[in-house]
């Protein structure tokens, strides 16, 4: 079993000094103390009033859906890119790690030191329970409790690309693997609920401070065979709250749906 936080990695959100583990807490030299929860994560959100990310229903739906293996081809493609770009001994941050579905796969490569952060305490707790990586913190990607220039790679799967923070924590030459939905991601789901489904707009590829190294498309199809499975997928997407009553009614009448998921895996390197 891995002891989380064995090596100092996270820094104190109050004074930015390294946090070292002492029994069931993390402590900085100014004695700011952060307790490690029973499930194994530590809450490093500076302001507890901050938005807490995905709610319990969304976390549960996403876990159910991901554990079905539907996105496994994408997860494996990201892991393969990590093996290409990240040297042995490399430090990886899974930013917006959620319940740890991806984190767990990346941590299988024991040559890497893998950490996770998520703003949702529920998601971070589920990730920490997997005991797959070296430390999980509840934190915002916009205010990472991580020292400057200490990270070799960041995986950012369907999470906000926080340019300034990513540039700050990455070493020169460090990479970000950014996974975004492609134009026709989950097209059949959209077609089932909207009269006129629109393709996703893809942001411009260039990001200041980074060189774009490559884009790898991944497409995978799967069949949802129960209404619950359809609802779980729907709950994971932004459409759930954007869809009106008619859309939800249409969806509730479906008991099977074949869906195509399409992603772009973009690799950026810090200059
Ligand atoms: Zn401190």
């Amino acid at each position: 079993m891995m002891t989380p936080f064995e090596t100092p990695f996270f820094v104190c959100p109050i004074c930015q000094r390294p946090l070292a583990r002492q029994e069931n807490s993390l402590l900085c030299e100014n004695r700011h103390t952060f307790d490690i929860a029973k499930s194994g994560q530590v809450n490093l959100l500076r302001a507890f009033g901050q938005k807490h990310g995905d709610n319990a229903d969304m976390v549960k739906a996403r876990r159910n859906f991901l554990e079905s293996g539907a996105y496994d081809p994408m997860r494996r493609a990201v892991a393969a890119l990590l093996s290409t770009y990240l040297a042995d001994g490399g430090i990886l941050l899974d930013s917006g790690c959620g319940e740890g579905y991806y984190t767990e796969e990346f941590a299988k490569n024991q040559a890497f030191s893998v950490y996770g952060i998520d703003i949702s305490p529920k998601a971070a707790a589920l990730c920490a329970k997997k005991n797959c990586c070296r430390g999980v913190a509840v934190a915002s990607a916009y205010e990472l409790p991580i020292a400057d220039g200490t990270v070799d790679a960041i995986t950012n799967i369907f999470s906000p690309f926080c340019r300034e923070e990513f540039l700050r924590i990455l070493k020169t030459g460090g990479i970000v693997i950014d996974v975004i939905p492609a134009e026709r991601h989950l097209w059949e789901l959209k077609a089932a609920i909207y009269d006129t489904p629109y393709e996703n707009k893809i942001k411009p590829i260039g990001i200041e401070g980074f060189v774009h190294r490559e884009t790898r498309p991944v497409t995978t199809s799967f069949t949802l065979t129960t209404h619950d499975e359809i609802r779980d997928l729907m709950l994971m997407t932004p459409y759930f709250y954007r869809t009106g009553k008619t859309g939800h009614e249409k969806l509730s009448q479906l008991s099977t749906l074949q869906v195509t998921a399409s992603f772009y895996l973009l690799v950026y390197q810090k200059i």
Side-chain angles (χ1 to χ4, degrees):
M1 287 271 270
M2 190 179 293
T3 310
F5 310 108
E6 208 171 0
T7 328
F9 170 70
F10 291 110
V11 299
C12 175
I14 300 159
C15 69
Q16 280 73 50
R17 302 281 175 191
L19 287 170
R21 180 165 184 157
Q22 201 174 89
E23 294 176 7
N24 289 322
S25 301
L26 298 187
L27 247 80
C28 73
E29 62 182 39
N30 293 320
R31 306 206 61 80
H32 297 126
T33 306
F34 304 88
D35 291 338
I36 300 168
K38 273 214 178 74
S39 34
Q41 80 283 11
V42 68
N43 193 329
L44 299 178
L45 267 184
R46 201 154 56 126
F48 277 83
Q50 256 171 305
K51 197 172 151 267
H52 276 184
D54 301 336
N55 65 39
D57 279 352
M58 288 165 79
V59 168
K60 198 166 154 245
R62 192 169 54 211
R63 186 170 64 153
N64 286 346
F65 174 78
L66 290 175
E67 296 296 338
S68 77
Y71 281 7
D72 194 49
M74 183 262 275
R75 175 169 88 156
R76 278 184 284 119
V78 177
L81 279 174
L82 283 172
S83 303
T84 307
Y85 285 94
L86 188 57
D88 284 0
I91 294 177
L92 166 69
L93 174 71
D94 192 15
S95 182
C97 64
E99 311 77 46
Y101 175 75
Y102 304 104
T103 329
E104 184 177 42
E105 179 72 16
F106 308 152
K108 277 185 191 160
N109 188 332
Q110 304 212 328
F112 304 154
S113 295
V114 181
Y115 295 87
I117 65 109
D118 201 281
I119 198 163
S120 159
K122 286 199 163 57
L126 288 169
C127 182
K129 270 190 194 164
K130 289 180 185 272
N131 199 34
C132 63
C133 60
R134 290 173 186 254
V136 178
V138 181
S140 163
Y142 291 98
E143 206 173 355
L144 290 166
I146 295 168
D148 298 359
T150 53
V151 170
D152 296 286
I154 297 170
T155 42
N156 193 55
I157 301 175
F158 284 22
S159 278
F161 195 107
C162 304
R163 191 185 75 90
E164 285 85 4
E165 278 297 81
F166 288 178
L167 282 173
R168 182 182 66 74
I169 67 164
L170 278 174
K171 296 175 186 171
T172 301
I175 61 152
V176 181
I177 301 177
D178 189 33
V179 179
I180 60 166
E183 290 87 346
R184 290 173 74 86
H185 179 58
L186 306 181
W187 185 255
E188 300 89 341
L189 180 70
K190 280 177 159 178
I193 51 180
Y194 298 124
D195 292 333
T196 321
Y198 289 98
E199 292 194 349
N200 295 320
K201 284 207 173 72
I202 306 300
K203 64 180 180 176
I205 263 174
I207 298 177
E208 206 188 328
F210 290 96
V211 177
H212 170 244
R213 293 288 302 269
E214 64 172 295
T215 295
R216 206 166 284 198
V218 173
T219 295
T220 179
S221 284
F222 49 91
T223 306
L224 305 170
T225 54
T226 66
H227 177 68
D228 284 350
E229 286 178 11
I230 297 170
R231 192 171 181 280
D232 284 341
L233 176 62
M234 181 74 178
L235 251 174
M236 282 174 59
T237 69
Y239 320 130
F240 185 81
Y241 294 101
R242 282 187 210 149
T243 301
K245 207 169 155 236
T246 340
H248 281 287
E249 271 165 10
K250 280 187 196 166
L251 202 71
S252 68
Q253 280 153 20
L254 293 174
S255 55
T256 177
L257 186 65
Q258 206 213 317
V259 186
T260 310
S262 323
F263 315 93
Y264 290 129
L265 282 47
L266 300 119
V267 182
Y268 290 97
Q269 187 163 34
K270 179 180 168 181
I271 301 165

